[in-house]
Amino acid sequence: MENEKYDITGMSCAACSSRVEKAVKNTDGVNDVSVNLLTNSMIVSYDDSISSKDIINAVEKAGYGAKLKGEKTVKEDRKDNETKIILIRLILSIFFLIPLFYLSMGYMLGWNIGDLANDPLTLTYIELILATVLMLINYKFFTNGYKALFQLSPNMDTLVALGSSVAYIYSLVIFGIMISNTINMDHVMHLSMNISFETAGMVPTLITIGKLLESYSKGKTTSAIKNLLNMAPKTATILKDNKQVIVPIEEVKVDDIFLVKPGESFPVDGIVIEGNSSADESILTGESLPVDKTVGDKVVSASINQYGALTCKATYVGKETTINKIIKMVEDATSSKAEIAKIADKVSGIFVPVVMGIALIVFICWIIFGNGFVSTLEHTTLVGYSFERAIAVLVISCPCALGLATPVAIMVGSGLGAKHGILFKTASSLEETGKMNYVVLDKTGTITKGQPVVSDVHVMDERLLSLAYSIESKSEHPLSKAITKYGEEHNITKIDVSGFSLVPGKGVQGFIDDKLLIGGNYELVKDYISIEIKEVGEEYAKKGKTPLYFVYNKQILGIIAVSDTIKEDSIEAIKQFKQLGLLPIMLTGDNNLTAKAIAEQVGIDRYISDVHPEDKLDIINRLQKYGKVLMVGDGVNDAPALTKADIGMAIGAGSDVAIESADVVLTKSSLVDACNAIRLSRQTLKNIKENLFWAFFYNLVMIPLAAGALSGVGLAKLKPWYGAAAMALSSVTVVLNALRLNLYKIDNVNKHHRNMNELPEEFIEKGENNMNELKVEIKGMMCMHCVKHVTDAINSIDGLTVKEVSLENGYALVNGDNIDTSLIKEKITNAGYEVTNI
């Protein structure tokens, strides 16, 4: 079972999450486990030898509760009931704590407490009642804490329970001694100064304040998921037998016809089959501008129909809808664990037992060595002071801040990314994205729009456009579609074409008035064109355009150049990649001339042309020898490279396979968002490091203070409840620091500038720049002897080397400084083979 989710109950600190994770990980058959304290959730991957029941049993044996996360209870699980319960508990606690604090402190500091100032027994009895009530109100600390202690898995609640209980029991013993010594009231007055019932009641109350702020902050961090859940439609209007039927969203099936009126949300993903409108897709992409929708266009769940009624056919329903996939990605990211979190986990796993040991050592040391110092203090005894120091250590040393440092930042970072159309699938992908050295970019659909358009028309015969439009409209090839669209937009006259046929890899042909009309690349028409026309076509090719030649009745009509337009933000994205320190490298299956032209337009210095899908994987492999590689792509052929790269980013408008293979999805299909993702990753990691620093620093400084290390310089009276307040403040500080991420502007180009990485000379010398690499398509190779003959023929040319000769695919890759295509063709032809394309 891959990534099965569970809800965990009973966890109160990082030691708890570490204990649960360890218990499940030690279960035979478990492959991987990640426990998140912030969301009280767990993701487990295990094999067929065990079941979910075994997982739950392992959690329960560790002293906690677990249940499978059900689909229908997702919203219920997100409700903020915990915060309300803690708030009520806190209000009641403060109500009883105020008189307890005033009486206990007033007695020691001489405040006006009436006749009780002269009646320590009655005063102590009142304090006992108030402290008992406070401990009952906060009973969960004690039940959870002692349960964990008896199971040999102490946690934060154990520290609180021990600290409060020791103060309560010690005060109860002193109270008993006071009652037995009523004859000597001076001694009773002296003993009353050692009563610590206020500590017993104040420690759980102050910890509850921290718990409330923690719980509230947790709710804030999950707002991104809550907003997405709230945006998900609950019903759909289905058309059945020409009648409109409103059904729950769960009942919508693939191919159902549904109606969406203006102002309504699209219930599922689908295709428009009737109507015209526009849709607000900002909830999914972060883009505020509406997107026009007409027949044949895709619509996505949770986006909002603007002004016209649309009839659509469902294509994806249930878990497969866009909104549910996004929710799953965000939840997975916040439930998984970043690598840096393992530092805190290792510390938290042993932290509580170590603190209990330190508290015991502190108590013993003060008993043995502290008599001389304590005797100089007023209104205290050696045993009482030693207890105070031990209790202070217990309540001030809470691993909560350590446990919250990473997950809160991950939660906020993932939510902020989702808000801006950047979906991190895991916590690790959010952490790692900012560490990349190289960014490998697929050209078509990533740097360019992947939608060829007519860019130039070189007319030699006025019939060019009409005849070209007529024959290309018969083809479904992307280049043909570009000319067809151009003809439609310019109202070009279309003429009937008979005998239409495709010439694979070259172009199209047909007959008009029984005369042959052909259109395609140079190889198809080379017998009919002059050197001058060929040079015009080559000029187009040098600019990254594809020249298509048209010949009618053996007479050249002219050239129509088609090009794939560069995305509006590609140039800016390349510039930002360089500012962020990443070296951009473009991969394309286009020839070297086209690749060079596109690379120069967008500012890329390193590119690799004539790349086959299988080549991309090899390039990623070799690049990873020099640093971490980010791959950005959109097509099915990019999926292996996206998976192999250290971080794979899929353009949101790309194929489902690419999106599934990637670690990060850019829903707006904007390359600049890849730069934004890098900045967000670096800022999130910086925030995590800040949180961990303060969590470690807090304990490093406060434990010695609580133990009494600075008692000789005026801090002798550091009460245990001071430590409780400081502990609560530490957790809140960490959470609030993480929440600062919400204020971060991910498109701030002035952030995180670094020197750009470079490739070593070794990589460049191998031809990876591909400025002088040529692909030669060859016909006639039948066996490995043929491969050898072709290789020898090319190698006989000075300055040329053969990179590869493929028998299966019929091509040769040639490297060299001065490539003479005519000489290559001559040598291969003389060897007995046909060059079909260079």
Side-chain angles (χ1 to χ4, degrees):
M1 178 64 69
E2 285 290 330
N3 295 336
E4 192 170 52
K5 292 182 180 179
Y6 295 80
D7 289 319
I8 308 299
T9 57
M11 294 192 301
S12 60
C13 69
C16 297
S17 60
S18 180
R19 195 81 57 184
V20 172
E21 190 166 298
K22 184 177 180 180
V24 176
K25 190 173 289 184
N26 289 337
T27 304
D28 291 336
V30 171
N31 301 320
D32 192 33
V33 58
S34 176
V35 179
N36 191 305
L37 173 66
L38 182 66
T39 56
N40 292 316
S41 62
M42 175 175 70
I43 296 179
V44 185
S45 174
Y46 56 90
D47 55 39
D48 295 335
S49 63
I50 59 173
S51 65
S52 58
K53 187 175 181 180
D54 297 314
I55 303 295
I56 293 172
N57 287 339
V59 175
E60 290 176 347
K61 284 182 181 178
Y64 305 90
K67 69 182 180 71
L68 279 169
K69 183 180 284 291
E71 292 178 19
K72 294 184 179 180
T73 61
V74 173
K75 286 189 179 182
E76 295 171 2
D77 292 337
R78 297 288 173 196
K79 289 182 179 179
D80 199 14
N81 291 328
E82 182 187 2
T83 302
K84 294 178 182 178
I85 293 171
I86 296 176
L87 178 61
I88 293 172
R89 204 169 75 205
L90 178 61
I91 292 172
L92 290 173
S93 297
I94 291 175
F95 180 78
F96 289 100
L97 179 63
I98 290 175
L100 173 61
F101 179 80
Y102 183 82
L103 290 174
S104 61
M105 297 303 293
Y107 181 68
M108 288 185 287
L109 299 177
W111 297 349
N112 183 12
I113 58 173
D115 294 337
L116 290 176
N118 301 314
D119 190 354
L121 288 174
T122 302
L123 175 63
T124 304
Y125 185 67
I126 294 172
E127 289 181 12
L128 169 63
I129 294 173
L130 291 173
T132 303
V133 172
L134 283 168
M135 293 173 73
L136 289 173
I137 292 172
N138 296 285
Y139 73 94
K140 276 199 169 184
F141 287 119
F142 302 93
T143 56
N144 293 341
Y146 283 115
K147 179 182 177 182
L149 181 62
F150 295 145
Q151 291 179 335
L152 301 180
S153 56
N155 56 22
M156 183 214 72
D157 288 344
T158 304
L159 296 180
V160 175
L162 282 175
S164 182
S165 298
V166 169
Y168 184 86
I169 294 171
Y170 174 73
S171 299
L172 202 59
V173 171
I174 296 295
F175 186 40
I177 296 173
M178 288 169 59
I179 293 174
S180 64
N181 285 273
T182 52
I183 298 175
N184 186 349
M185 289 305 297
D186 288 339
H187 186 52
V188 169
M189 294 285 285
H190 178 75
L191 287 172
S192 66
M193 291 294 181
N194 292 280
I195 293 295
S196 296
F197 282 126
E198 81 282 357
T199 294
M202 193 169 291
V203 166
T205 301
L206 290 174
I207 301 300
T208 301
I209 294 175
K211 282 285 187 182
L212 176 66
L213 294 174
E214 260 178 47
S215 179
Y216 178 75
S217 300
K218 287 180 185 179
K220 283 289 185 183
T221 61
T222 58
S223 61
I225 297 176
K226 290 179 181 178
N227 290 338
L228 289 171
L229 286 167
N230 291 334
M231 289 298 296
K234 302 169 184 63
T235 60
T237 303
I238 302 296
L239 297 181
K240 291 184 178 180
D241 301 324
N242 294 324
K243 294 182 180 179
Q244 298 180 15
V245 182
I246 298 177
V247 299
I249 195 69
E250 294 81 10
E251 295 182 13
V252 181
K253 298 179 177 61
V254 174
D255 292 334
D256 277 352
I257 306 301
F258 61 91
L259 176 68
V260 184
K261 299 175 182 177
E264 293 181 346
S265 297
F266 291 94
V268 295
D269 292 6
I271 296 176
V272 178
I273 60 176
E274 184 180 334
N276 293 282
S277 184
S278 62
D280 177 2
E281 298 180 349
S282 58
I283 183 64
L284 307 173
T285 66
E287 191 64 53
S288 59
L289 293 176
V291 181
D292 292 337
K293 300 293 178 183
T294 187
V295 175
D297 289 339
K298 294 180 180 179
V299 293
V300 291
S301 53
S303 59
I304 301 172
N305 187 21
Q306 295 282 286
Y307 62 82
L310 292 175
T311 304
C312 310
K313 183 170 73 172
T315 54
Y316 294 103
V317 300
K319 293 181 180 179
E320 299 303 313
T321 61
T322 301
I323 185 68
N324 282 327
K325 283 184 177 180
I326 290 176
I327 291 171
K328 182 179 183 300
M329 286 182 192
V330 176
E331 285 192 322
D332 284 350
T334 54
S335 298
S336 59
K337 186 164 292 183
E339 288 296 314
I340 196 171
K342 294 179 181 178
I343 300 173
D345 287 348
K346 289 178 181 178
V347 174
S348 300
I350 60 172
F351 191 79
V352 174
V354 168
V355 166
M356 292 171 63
I358 292 174
L360 180 61
I361 292 172
V362 166
F363 176 77
I364 294 173
C365 287
W366 275 107
I367 287 292
I368 297 174
F369 305 109
N371 186 52
F373 174 77
V374 174
S375 62
T376 64
L377 303 176
E378 295 182 2
H379 310 305
T380 190
T381 64
L382 178 61
V383 174
Y385 190 78
S386 300
F387 266 124
E388 275 193 358
R389 299 283 61 79
I391 293 169
V393 169
L394 287 174
V395 298
I396 210 168
S397 308
C398 175
C400 269
L402 283 176
L404 293 171
T406 300
V408 179
I410 291 292
M411 178 72 83
V412 178
S414 299
L416 185 60
K419 182 179 177 182
H420 289 84
I422 302 168
L423 302 178
F424 296 93
K425 289 187 178 180
T426 63
S428 291
S429 63
L430 175 56
E431 177 187 5
E432 291 296 314
T433 297
K435 300 177 181 179
M436 299 298 104
N437 304 110
Y438 307 104
V439 54
V440 175
L441 304 165
D442 173 56
K443 180 183 78 70
T444 306
T446 302
I447 295 175
T448 64
K449 293 181 178 179
Q451 300 171 347
V453 295
V454 173
S455 58
D456 299 270
V457 178
H458 183 79
V459 179
M460 298 186 66
D461 188 307
E462 62 182 14
R463 296 173 296 175
L464 170 65
L465 290 175
S466 178
L467 296 182
Y469 174 39
S470 300
I471 194 165
E472 295 291 1
S473 63
K474 298 281 187 179
S475 172
E476 291 298 316
H477 191 279
L479 298 180
S480 298
K481 287 183 177 180
I483 295 176
T484 301
K485 184 178 180 182
Y486 184 86
E488 291 171 349
E489 291 175 346
H490 291 80
N491 298 315
I492 306 297
T493 302
K494 189 193 296 186
I495 304 171
D496 289 336
V497 176
S498 61
F500 173 82
S501 64
L502 292 171
V503 183
K506 295 183 179 181
V508 295
Q509 63 183 22
F511 294 90
I512 294 179
D513 296 333
D514 296 326
K515 296 173 183 177
L516 181 64
L517 170 64
I518 57 178
N521 61 20
Y522 170 74
E523 285 298 316
L524 185 61
V525 301
K526 61 184 179 181
D527 294 335
Y528 308 106
I529 65 174
S530 64
I531 295 177
E532 290 77 17
I533 295 301
K534 179 185 176 184
E535 290 176 348
V536 172
E538 288 177 345
E539 285 300 314
Y540 285 137
K542 289 178 181 178
K543 296 177 182 177
K545 303 170 184 178
T546 302
L548 299 175
Y549 304 84
F550 291 88
V551 173
Y552 179 57
N553 195 25
K554 300 182 180 181
Q555 297 295 316
I556 183 72
L557 300 173
I559 302 174
I560 297 178
V562 177
S563 64
D564 188 1
T565 54
I566 294 172
K567 288 183 178 179
E568 292 80 1
D569 59 359
S570 290
I571 296 175
E572 176 61 24
I574 301 304
K575 178 182 176 183
Q576 290 187 30
F577 279 130
K578 293 178 178 179
Q579 290 174 339
L580 291 167
L582 280 77
L583 174 66
I585 302 168
M586 184 182 77
L587 303 185
T588 177
D590 285 340
N591 60 55
N592 188 61
L593 283 176
T594 301
K596 181 179 180 182
I598 296 294
E600 288 177 347
Q601 287 181 58
V602 297
I604 290 179
D605 302 314
R606 301 282 183 266
Y607 64 86
I608 306 178
S609 61
D610 300 290
V611 174
H612 294 271
E614 60 270 20
D615 296 333
K616 294 183 179 181
L617 204 57
D618 179 58
I619 292 165
I620 296 293
N621 270 324
R622 282 184 282 131
L623 263 178
Q624 286 176 324
K625 297 177 182 177
Y626 307 108
K628 291 181 177 291
V629 179
L630 166 66
M631 170 73 190
V632 186
D634 71 318
V636 173
N637 60 351
D638 295 323
L642 289 170
T643 303
K644 176 60 182 173
D646 296 282
I647 290 293
M649 277 190 190
I651 297 294
S655 70
D656 291 342
V657 176
I659 291 173
E660 288 297 322
S661 304
D663 302 291
V664 184
V665 178
L666 309 176
T667 63
K668 287 191 287 187
S669 300
S670 169
L671 196 54
V672 167
D673 277 342
C675 305
N676 293 339
I678 292 169
R679 276 188 289 269
L680 178 57
S681 169
R682 291 178 181 176
Q683 188 68 21
T684 302
L685 188 59
K686 177 184 176 184
N687 190 279
I688 291 172
K689 289 178 178 178
E690 290 171 350
N691 287 346
L692 288 174
F693 170 79
W694 288 114
F696 281 119
F697 181 77
Y698 161 82
N699 283 292
L700 191 65
V701 171
M702 295 306 292
I703 289 179
L705 288 179
L710 299 180
S711 295
V713 291
L715 294 178
K717 289 294 185 179
L718 182 65
K719 285 285 183 180
W721 60 265
Y722 294 173
M727 188 281 293
L729 184 62
S730 73
S731 294
V732 174
T733 300
V734 165
V735 173
L736 292 179
N737 185 53
L739 290 176
R740 282 195 311 114
L741 272 174
N742 281 313
L743 304 176
Y744 180 69
K745 303 296 183 182
I746 66 173
D747 55 355
N748 187 344
V749 296
N750 295 319
K751 287 283 188 178
H752 305 289
H753 280 204
R754 296 181 184 176
N755 293 328
M756 189 172 69
N757 288 279
E758 284 293 347
L759 283 170
E761 288 300 319
E762 176 191 358
F763 192 85
I764 298 172
E765 285 175 358
K766 287 182 179 178
E768 300 310 317
N769 203 29
N770 276 349
M771 293 291 186
N772 296 301
E773 183 174 280
L774 182 69
K775 180 180 178 183
V776 184
E777 295 181 7
I778 304 168
K779 185 177 180 180
M781 293 190 296
M782 304 294 291
C783 64
M784 293 309 295
H785 291 292
C786 299
V787 171
K788 184 179 186 305
H789 293 157
V790 170
T791 303
D792 291 342
I794 298 173
N795 283 337
S796 68
I797 304 173
D798 291 338
L800 293 188
T801 57
V802 178
K803 180 180 178 183
E804 177 188 2
V805 176
S806 173
L807 174 64
E808 181 181 357
N809 298 307
Y811 68 81
L813 293 181
V814 181
N815 284 330
D817 296 328
N818 297 298
I819 296 178
D820 187 336
T821 56
S822 61
L823 185 56
I824 293 173
K825 184 175 181 180
E826 179 186 336
K827 290 288 186 180
I828 294 175
T829 302
N830 291 339
Y833 306 94
E834 180 185 352
V835 176
T836 58
N837 190 32
I838 294 183

